[in-house]
Amino acid sequence: MTAELVRGQNHTLPQTRLEIRISAGAPVVAGATLGDEHGTVHGVERIAHPGSPHLPGLEVSRQAAAEHRLAVDLDALPDGVHRVTVLLALPLEAGGPTRFGAVAAPFVAVTGPEGAEIATFTLTGLDTESAVAALELYRRQGAWKVRAVGQGYAGGLAAMLADQGVDRAAELAGSIQQAVARGLARSVSPPPPRTPEGDRVRHAAGPAAVPGGGQPPAGPPAARQPEQPAPAAVPSGPVDYAHPRRRSSAPPPPPPAAPPAGPAGQAGPVAGDATGWSMDERLYNQIWGMFEDLARATAAYRSAVDFAESRMDQELERALSDPRSRIGGSGDLAREQARAKRDELTGRAREALDRDLAQLAAESAVVEPALPAPYAGWDNPVWHAYRVPMEIPMALRIGDLHLPESGALRIPLLVRLPLERGIWIDSGRTASEAGALTDGGQLHRLAMESAVLHAARLLAVYPAGEFSVHVIDPAGSASAALDPLVRSGVLAGPPASGAGGVSSVLAQLTRRVDLVQMAVRAGAADSLPPDLDPAEQLLIVNDFPHGFDDRAVNQLRYLADEGPPVGVHLLMVADREEASAFGPVLDPLWRSLLRITPVADDHLADPWVGHAWTYEPLTTPAGSRVLDLVLAQVAAARRGGPR
């Protein structure tokens, strides 16, 4: 039976291998400290946080997220540790909440490795605090217990660490927030919160619960239900992805159709199998649902494998610690039995994952051909029937994502329009296999070709005259890659080269940001100068920082920070190592941009469980003229000619 704790209450823990599951209404930083019998933490080496997530017997998340799973093995903690305190803090991101009173009350559950809840605690009553000690696991007379703490700190993470006796707490808190900022920079932004009526409903075959829980809670505490995960190591049947709160009411349902029959007469997957006010919105929600489902199914599988390995280790340790097992064949038999049990558990977990992957693959096979041009890859026939749209779509596809366990299944990576942050195409060498096998010159060429394809897609999905593209190419080294844009005449002007060209374009776009900001603040949007282009602006920057002086670098940082809300966006092609001479002054610039790569690389994280997803850029099919055909349509529409 689950113990529902209130502040100050404790409960005896029946086991020493635990998971601590955290759900919050906004991304939070989760960490833990290891203290002595008085709660004092002796050194930074006894603090687990996103910058240092592993300690003996303890593992925490690597980034801020709305949901966390912390793994704890109380038997493996260092000697002298009597208390494990779980800490939560709000990340210091621009525009994010600054106090817990502004978000839904965090919910914390202590569970066994298989997901069975032992104790839960909802942290109510927080207001101005930006950090909180949520609960603590403590040892009393040889037994471990959990206590609900809920002690908040208006002074933030630094005040909380100082209260536990940590030296130089402010410095450590700053380094933790820097690690969190780096993690947020690589995280894919989740879609805007949807009401329960706005969530999709999935066709599924079995009654089992969603592995890892439901969608991150976004409502008030009274409306939120704690996640109820199924035991990951012993799946009981096909996974039902329909969240308890999801319904098919409210917005108009998908148009009636006769879906293909699935196994045992069940309805097969359907394109647009989500609610929304339009087919585009239903497809957008469905793709994000597939993304989340794959993340959670993989998390359940990995958790099951970890549990099976840990169980085998424990059984082997018990067997080998018995002197009798060293005589005869009993020791060998115990090892064989432990490994057989591990193989059985991992095999059953893999079967469950394979069922989930088969369902998602079948859904993908139906969804991909039905996608509109903004959501479709370049190989989709929809681009051959392309016409300039009359309105801006909800989102744009900028690549595909997959996990090592997902095989050939690919999930489209969609970003909302208008763009909420700029894009950085990293032309430097990466740690991936594809990056290691590609030389530096080819990486830069591929990065610039990728930038051209992204610019072409943005031009294609906006109505005529509502999107303009500028190019800075200081040394003129990207002329071959830029040829499709230059030849078609879709650029706002010739690519700018040399220091003078860089300065002119940056001054023009900086002036636009300043004027629009002033007009918006004054409520006088109609009084903008007649020479100001009202269209959304995209600036492609090649070979950064070559050709950029300190003033130009500051202008670029200004455009990255202030540009997106007023319609000015960056698309940078750069190798961070080449800009290392500027030092940490450029760190905010890199963090403000969504980093993607010209070759496959596993650097992006999902907003639910933080998997490292492999990003694959979109490319046009070999020998295809689809890019030229699309740009010709865009150019004709800009000239006012026939489409």
Side-chain angles (χ1 to χ4, degrees), residues 207-410:
V210 179
Q215 182 169 336
R224 188 176 69 226
Q225 298 296 324
E227 56 179 284
Q228 299 290 338
V234 191
S236 59
V239 175
D240 178 6
Y241 285 103
H243 289 235
R245 301 188 311 276
R246 291 182 178 176
R247 304 179 181 87
S248 57
S249 58
Q266 295 171 350
V270 178
D273 186 16
T275 52
W277 297 105
S278 66
M279 188 60 175
D280 283 3
E281 185 178 359
R282 291 197 290 270
L283 287 168
Y284 173 82
N285 291 338
Q286 184 174 15
I287 289 170
W288 268 96
M290 293 167 62
F291 186 15
E292 181 180 356
D293 290 344
L294 180 55
R296 296 191 183 283
T298 305
Y301 169 72
R302 293 180 181 179
S303 177
V305 171
D306 289 343
F307 172 71
E309 293 285 350
S310 173
R311 177 171 177 169
M312 181 188 70
D313 291 342
Q314 288 182 336
E315 291 178 352
L316 289 176
E317 184 179 354
R318 284 197 297 268
L320 295 176
S321 64
D322 186 354
R324 292 172 297 179
S325 66
R326 302 168 190 169
I327 303 174
S330 59
D332 294 337
L333 178 61
R335 280 190 288 269
E336 291 176 5
Q337 291 176 339
R339 293 190 181 107
K341 187 63 175 179
R342 184 270 314 272
D343 293 342
E344 178 190 357
L345 291 175
T346 56
R348 293 166 68 180
R350 184 70 217 194
E351 289 177 5
L353 177 64
D354 288 342
R355 285 196 299 269
D356 301 339
L357 292 177
Q359 183 187 21
L360 286 167
E363 187 172 8
S364 177
V366 172
V367 168
E368 280 284 356
L371 295 177
Y375 301 175
W378 286 110
D379 56 349
N380 193 308
V382 70
W383 283 106
H384 293 280
Y386 167 77
R387 292 293 182 269
V388 177
M390 301 299 292
E391 59 182 20
I392 302 172
M394 280 187 64
L396 179 72
R397 185 174 185 167
I398 63 169
D400 293 327
L401 298 172
H402 67 92
L403 291 168
E405 295 89 348
S406 63
L409 179 63
R410 299 295 185 268

Side-chain angles (χ1 to χ4, degrees), residues 351 416 596 606 619:
E351 289 177 5
R416 289 294 295 257
I596 57 177
D606 65 79
T619 58

Side-chain angles (χ1 to χ4, degrees), residues 63-67 183-184 186-190 216 288 291-296 298-299 302 401 403 413 603-614:
Q63 66 179 44
E67 292 189 350
L184 288 172
R186 62 185 283 270
S187 176
V188 179
S189 300
W288 268 96
F291 186 15
E292 181 180 356
D293 290 344
L294 180 55
R296 296 191 183 283
T298 305
R302 293 180 181 179
L401 298 172
L403 291 168
L413 174 56
H603 66 280
L604 289 176
D606 65 79
W608 300 288
V609 292
H611 291 317
W613 292 74
T614 296

